[in-house]
Amino acid sequence: MTNENKDQFRQPDHEHDHFLLTTVVGSYPKPKWLNRAKELYKDEDHGFDEDDYQEAKDDAARLITNEHERAGLDVVVDGEMRRNEMVEFFAHRIEGYEFNGPVKVWGHNYFDKPSVVSEVEYEDSWLVDEYEFTAAASDRPVKVPITGPYTLANWSFNEAYDDDDELTLELADLVNEEIEKLVDAGARYIQIDEPALATTPDDHAIVGEALEHIVADIPEEVRIGLHVCYGDYSRIYPEILEFPVDEFDLELANGDYEQLDVFKDPEFSKDLALGVCDAHVAEVESVEQIEANIKKGLEVVPPEQLVVSPDCGVKLLPREVAYGKMANMVEAARNVEADLDAGEIDVEPGAPTPADD
């Protein structure tokens, strides 16, 4: 059985009959010198100007894209080297947002939570330059992660719209506009990040409606994924199967796959991008452990619907650990593909894999 939407990202020299698409969710540790470059740029007494900082970000984007290639990923990202935080980055580019200083969110971390103070409007493109640079730096397909409108609304102060639902739909139209520009530039893989969904599951209906706005007039061959993490998936499943996306990217390794059964009944009808490495653990999982995790995904979907990725963005990990996870993940995926080709894995979705024995 084929899956044309997924198979368009198979490398021409892929050595196995089966194909488990390997990619990342998005963020990746920044090189330490990039953080130092940012400090110099913000220091008015230093001669490190905007052009210098832009060159540093370009170099970092090129470096991390190459690191993803060396790990063997089928689809690469630049590790979001130009982005600071998943809401702030976009809020700075949308007319109608303003910032009033950081708020404490957890532990000792601060987040410059923005406010929507007037009608949100689309001005210049948010990500086309980033996509074009990454695509030129790599021979591999490039995925573009975009923070979703529900999270952009939910994690901001709303001082302009009657309710967050209205704001969410207005933002969804802006995301749609951005995706149209990305598609015109050549992008074929878009991932909408909605971590807020699983923490406020009663709002799945507005997320679904927002996605309808997002995909309006987007060609079918463009792969649209939805990344969701945290929370209780049983409160949004099976309703999310009605969402107009090709792929769900889910955090499950961190919970030792305790929620896996949620997705077995009713049948999972979309592609599953399974988290097979824990983004919260600063240790590299062995190839054998990741192989076992990948086989968990085969309990839910057949190989042609399975995508392999870490649980979430890995930006908080040490860089060598992040790379180790990527490299082992790819090796594990290729090993599982070989076992599938050899007929050594004979699983039916819905049944426990031999790895459970």
Side-chain angles (χ1 to χ4, degrees):
M1 188 173 179
T2 60
N3 180 342
E4 291 183 3
N5 183 282
K6 175 177 163 236
D7 288 348
Q8 66 180 309
F9 305 105
R10 178 196 286 251
Q11 295 301 303
D13 59 350
H14 192 83
E15 59 183 327
H16 301 117
D17 292 335
H18 286 86
F19 174 51
L20 304 178
L21 173 63
T22 58
T23 186
V24 290
V25 171
S27 73
Y28 198 79
K30 289 183 171 66
K32 292 177 182 176
W33 50 261
L34 181 59
N35 294 327
R36 177 61 178 151
K38 184 178 181 181
E39 291 174 0
L40 293 174
Y41 173 59
K42 288 189 171 183
D43 184 353
E44 295 180 355
D45 296 328
H46 204 286
F48 200 85
D49 61 20
E50 185 169 351
D51 288 343
D52 294 331
Y53 186 39
Q54 182 62 46
E55 183 178 341
K57 288 188 287 187
D58 287 349
D59 287 345
R62 195 179 293 110
L63 176 72
I64 299 305
T65 301
N66 178 257
E67 200 155 301
H68 286 182
E69 288 181 334
R70 284 194 293 113
L73 294 171
D74 297 302
V75 174
V76 301
V77 180
D78 77 346
E80 301 180 2
M81 291 296 107
R82 306 169 197 279
R83 309 186 192 182
N84 47 359
E85 196 274 343
M86 66 183 302
V87 172
E88 282 182 52
F89 176 85
F90 293 94
H92 277 294
R93 288 158 176 78
I94 298 173
E95 183 69 25
Y97 273 95
E98 70 174 30
F99 291 83
N100 298 299
V103 296
K104 195 171 185 178
V105 285
W106 66 83
H108 297 290
N109 292 314
Y110 286 83
F111 161 48
D112 199 359
K113 186 171 182 176
S115 298
V116 179
V117 297
S118 62
E119 183 178 349
V120 292
E121 295 181 31
Y122 184 94
E123 292 190 322
D124 297 328
S125 167
W126 312 334
L127 299 169
V128 169
D129 288 349
E130 175 188 292
Y131 165 75
E132 290 181 335
F133 185 93
T134 310
S138 177
D139 293 330
R140 303 289 173 96
V142 173
K143 181 166 73 172
V144 183
I146 301 177
T147 303
Y150 178 73
T151 298
L152 287 173
N154 198 262
W155 290 3
S156 305
F157 296 113
N158 175 16
E159 302 172 9
Y161 288 83
D162 291 338
D163 55 50
D164 284 354
D165 288 0
E166 183 183 3
L167 173 58
T168 296
L169 295 180
E170 290 291 326
L171 288 166
D173 288 335
L174 306 191
V175 174
N176 169 260
E177 199 165 343
E178 176 64 15
I179 293 177
E180 286 185 339
K181 285 185 167 51
L182 285 164
V183 171
D184 288 345
R188 291 295 179 269
Y189 198 163
I190 309 291
Q191 175 186 282
I192 309 299
D193 293 331
E194 289 286 18
L197 171 60
T199 59
T200 51
D202 293 339
D203 285 348
H204 61 77
I206 187 63
V207 173
E209 188 174 351
L211 285 164
E212 295 287 353
H213 285 237
I214 288 171
V215 303
D217 300 323
I218 302 300
E220 286 188 8
E221 63 269 23
V222 175
R223 185 172 183 83
I224 303 292
L226 179 68
H227 172 65
V228 181
C229 51
Y230 312 116
D232 181 356
Y233 292 126
S234 68
R235 297 181 64 187
I236 58 174
Y237 192 83
E239 288 83 0
I240 59 173
L241 293 178
E242 300 300 320
F243 290 177
V245 301
D246 302 293
E247 165 193 295
F248 288 104
D249 188 294
L250 303 174
E251 178 189 62
L252 287 167
N254 180 247
D256 198 25
Y257 301 95
E258 289 182 355
Q259 296 193 62
L260 191 72
D261 287 347
V262 167
F263 303 103
K264 293 181 179 178
D265 186 21
E267 180 180 350
F268 199 89
S269 55
K270 305 288 186 176
D271 290 354
L272 171 63
L274 182 74
V276 297
C277 298
D278 192 338
H280 303 283
V281 175
E283 295 177 1
V284 178
E285 293 92 341
S286 68
V287 172
E288 293 76 16
Q289 178 59 60
I290 300 174
E291 288 177 15
N293 293 347
I294 292 172
K295 291 172 184 174
K296 290 288 186 184
L298 296 173
E299 296 180 22
V300 178
V301 294
E304 58 268 22
Q305 288 175 239
L306 187 60
V307 176
V308 174
S309 74
D311 260 352
C312 202
V314 294
K315 68 178 182 181
L316 298 180
L317 294 173
R319 189 168 146 206
E320 65 274 16
V321 172
Y323 178 78
K325 285 176 184 277
M326 302 306 98
N328 280 6
M329 184 181 79
V330 172
E331 183 177 348
R334 303 292 91 102
N335 288 346
V336 172
E337 288 173 344
D339 289 345
L340 286 164
D341 286 358
E344 295 176 5
I345 302 175
D346 184 17
V347 293
E348 291 292 330
T353 66
D356 288 345
D357 294 340

